Amino acid sequence: MANTLFDKIWDAHVVTEIKEGPTQLYIDRLYCHEVTSPQAFEGMRARGLKPLRPERIYCMPDHNTPTHDQDKPIEDPVSKKQVDTLAKNAADFGLTHYGMMDPRNGIIHVVGPERGLTLPGMTIVCGDSHTSTHGAVGSVAFGIGTSEVEMVMASQCILQAKPKTMRIRMEGTLGKGVTAKDVALYIMSKVTTSGATGYFIEYAGSTIRSLTMEGRLTLCNLSIEMGARGGMIAPDETTFAYLKGRENAPCGEEWEKAVSYWKTLKSDEDAVFDKELLFDAADIEPMVTYGTNPGMGMGITNHIPTAEGMSEVEKSSFDKAMNYMGFEAGETLLGKKIDYVFLGSCTNGRIEDFRAFASMVKGRKKADHVIAWLVPGSWMVDAQIREEGLDKVLEEAGFQLRQPGCSACLAMNDDKIPAGKYAVSTSNRNFEGRQGPGARTILAGPLVAAVAAITGEITDPRTLL
């Protein structure tokens, strides 16, 4: 029987199936951060339990970590308590912990792949919706709730209903100035934020195969914003080249055996998906969002749509978003003045994103009125930036690097956008108040963010390429 890539990995991890109920699924890797794990640890203590397989659990703070002065105590008492509690819990339960200032620390969804902890064929969970990122290497990765974190700690298994499968194919060559972030925002604008609800997505096609690993990680990261349970890409030579030599990846004969298995991880030619979609790469230009969910996106040269043809419910939601953003239906965003630029997050905090940003600002200067937060996704990314001299390029253009963390992706640390201010952000969500109470977020890729930081307004990056 022909199987999809998702089916092959899922079926290989089934422990038991409950008739007319969920599947007991074995989990290869559990990641824990400081926000969603405390109650799970407390539940373990209350029941007198220890993790079944502690070597498969990795902990690190990222949401609450400040992006400056990490060598000093955290000033915010709530953030400090959460970060300190994770360190104590990891020590008490004998778990690997990458704390602040540890060279292995960073955003958990950046660290996993770059340290070779995330590998093809794995099942991976974390109490965080953007766990879908890890599917880029060819794994089944999804976010779970705190009670489920406890379940995995105790048993290395989880009870889950098997999702339906969707294949999104994209064919053709991406145009000048179009990044993986633009691909994701384009797909979301077509699928909507609920169009993939109940599905696990496999991305395929010549366009997807042409993406770098960093680009694939960005695309899979945003699967959750379409309502999907997760997203994945079949491993190939790009995947193997990325993982080879990483500290937790197999080596020697074990590497050869692993790659031999990983090459079987692909959907069979005649595999049937519950839903299939096809897109043409030529239709995509650099993207920006205009509303208050990631699906409200458009090509940068387009105009905000009107409410014509919308239902009353849709129109009400649209009008509310326009009011919050201070935009009007039918207007262009080109030339719109902005106040902040944020480069970073588990969506666009990797070395490729900093290379792209630096390539645009090299020889130019940051607009005086723009505040820019450039936040590497990990200390490894920070080291790469400095090794390649990108920090000097950025400094000469008037930018400063901050220290790794989730930063301005969400208002859970010091990096908050003030009310009413416009931020061009390479993060994943533009919900009301996501970057701070009253903050107005325009999602974009690193090239759009870079030119906005230089010009001080929404600008088509292709005009400066």
Side-chain angles (χ1 to χ4, degrees):
M1 181 178 174
N3 285 310
T4 67
L5 168 59
F6 174 79
D7 290 330
K8 289 181 179 181
I9 299 174
W10 179 279
D11 293 348
H13 288 78
V14 170
V15 179
T16 57
E17 289 185 278
I18 299 170
K19 188 176 181 181
E20 298 181 359
T23 299
Q24 183 186 19
L25 195 71
Y26 182 78
I27 298 300
D28 292 305
R29 185 81 72 216
L30 169 64
Y31 294 124
C32 292
H33 60 66
E34 75 277 24
V35 179
T36 57
S37 64
Q39 298 91 336
F41 283 111
E42 282 309 302
M44 294 283 284
R45 282 193 183 91
R47 296 160 66 196
L49 298 175
K50 293 288 185 183
L52 179 68
R53 295 192 172 163
E55 73 281 2
R56 293 184 172 271
I57 304 173
Y58 286 76
C59 307
M60 68 197 78
D62 53 15
H63 284 57
N64 287 280
T65 56
T67 58
H68 56 84
D69 299 327
Q70 287 191 10
D71 56 338
K72 299 176 182 176
I74 298 174
E75 293 180 6
D76 178 68
V78 175
S79 293
K80 185 177 189 306
K81 183 174 183 179
Q82 287 194 314
V83 171
D84 290 349
T85 298
L86 179 65
K88 183 180 187 305
N89 282 331
D92 289 351
F93 286 88
L95 305 178
T96 301
H97 177 252
Y98 298 160
M100 285 199 316
M101 299 303 293
D102 186 312
R104 298 164 297 181
N105 177 255
I107 304 172
I108 208 160
H109 305 313
V110 175
V111 172
E114 74 180 8
R115 293 286 167 183
L117 291 166
T118 297
L119 297 171
M122 280 186 164
T123 49
I124 299 170
V125 295
C126 174
D128 187 284
S129 58
H130 293 105
T131 307
S132 58
T133 309
H134 304 271
V137 305
S139 64
V140 169
F142 51 92
I144 58 176
T146 298
S147 61
E148 293 171 314
V149 172
E150 182 183 345
M151 186 189 302
V152 177
M153 279 188 194
S155 67
Q156 209 57 41
C157 293
I158 194 170
L159 294 175
Q160 286 283 297
K162 187 176 183 179
K164 294 179 289 185
T165 56
M166 175 190 293
R167 179 161 57 187
I168 295 180
R169 285 176 48 228
M170 184 172 287
E171 304 290 351
T173 303
L174 294 173
K176 184 173 73 169
V178 178
T179 68
K181 180 64 164 293
D182 301 307
V183 171
L185 289 174
Y186 175 82
I187 294 173
M188 277 189 280
S189 73
K190 300 299 181 184
V191 175
T192 77
T193 53
S194 61
T197 301
Y199 292 91
F200 215 99
I201 299 172
E202 179 182 342
Y203 299 98
S206 60
T207 312
I208 307 304
R209 289 193 298 273
S210 72
L211 295 177
T212 61
M213 272 310 302
E214 283 90 349
R216 296 177 187 191
L217 289 160
T218 294
L219 178 58
C220 288
N221 173 273
L222 288 159
S223 302
I224 193 70
E225 307 307 337
M226 302 174 219
R229 198 73 186 89
M232 63 196 311
I233 296 170
D236 58 13
E237 293 303 325
T238 298
T239 319
F240 310 148
Y242 174 86
L243 292 172
K244 190 171 186 179
R246 296 192 182 266
E247 64 190 273
N248 294 288
C251 56
E253 285 186 24
E254 290 302 311
W255 170 260
E256 298 303 325
K257 282 172 58 179
V259 171
S260 179
Y261 164 60
W262 294 344
K263 286 180 177 179
T264 69
L265 296 176
K266 56 187 176 182
S267 292
D268 297 329
E269 285 292 328
D270 50 351
V272 176
F273 291 79
D274 294 299
K275 189 172 184 178
E276 297 224 34
L277 298 173
L278 174 64
F279 296 104
D280 186 344
D283 294 336
I284 309 174
E285 64 173 338
M287 298 283 292
V288 289
T289 59
Y290 57 85
T292 53
N293 72 59
M296 299 177 80
M298 65 183 187
I300 197 164
T301 62
N302 291 345
H303 291 72
I304 296 173
T306 66
E308 186 178 348
M310 292 184 184
S311 68
E312 285 303 311
V313 172
E314 291 169 334
K315 185 177 184 302
S316 175
S317 178
F318 176 79
D319 289 344
K320 185 172 182 284
M322 292 301 96
N323 182 60
Y324 183 86
M325 293 298 295
F327 295 154
E328 292 183 10
E331 75 171 323
T332 179
L333 290 189
L334 287 173
K336 181 71 68 176
K337 185 178 177 183
I338 59 100
D339 307 292
Y340 284 75
V341 165
F342 170 51
L343 174 67
S345 83
C346 60
T347 311
N348 283 119
R350 299 175 182 81
I351 186 61
E352 182 179 278
D353 303 306
F354 281 83
R355 289 172 184 153
F357 192 98
S359 73
M360 292 300 300
V361 305
K362 186 175 184 178
R364 299 183 171 103
K365 292 290 183 182
K366 180 182 73 66
D368 290 339
H369 73 275
V370 171
I371 295 173
W373 291 332
L374 277 52
V375 186
S378 69
W379 283 107
M380 179 183 278
V381 174
D382 179 270
Q384 287 177 287
I385 289 168
R386 298 178 193 283
E387 286 168 12
E388 296 179 17
L390 299 181
D391 57 324
K392 299 293 189 293
V393 173
L394 296 169
E395 286 171 15
E396 288 171 8
F399 299 91
Q400 285 189 331
L401 279 178
R402 295 172 83 86
Q403 293 175 318
C406 289
S407 184
C409 176
L410 76 174
M412 230 178 240
N413 50 70
D414 295 338
D415 300 348
K416 296 178 177 67
I417 308 299
K421 299 297 184 181
Y422 288 100
V424 173
S425 177
T426 64
S427 53
N428 41 53
R429 286 178 176 163
N430 54 342
F431 304 154
E432 292 186 19
R434 169 75 176 184
Q435 294 192 288
R440 293 163 163 172
T441 302
I442 298 165
L443 297 179
L447 296 180
V448 173
V451 295
I454 296 162
T455 63
E457 59 189 39
I458 304 295
T459 305
D460 187 340
R462 294 172 295 185
T463 62
L464 296 183
L465 282 171

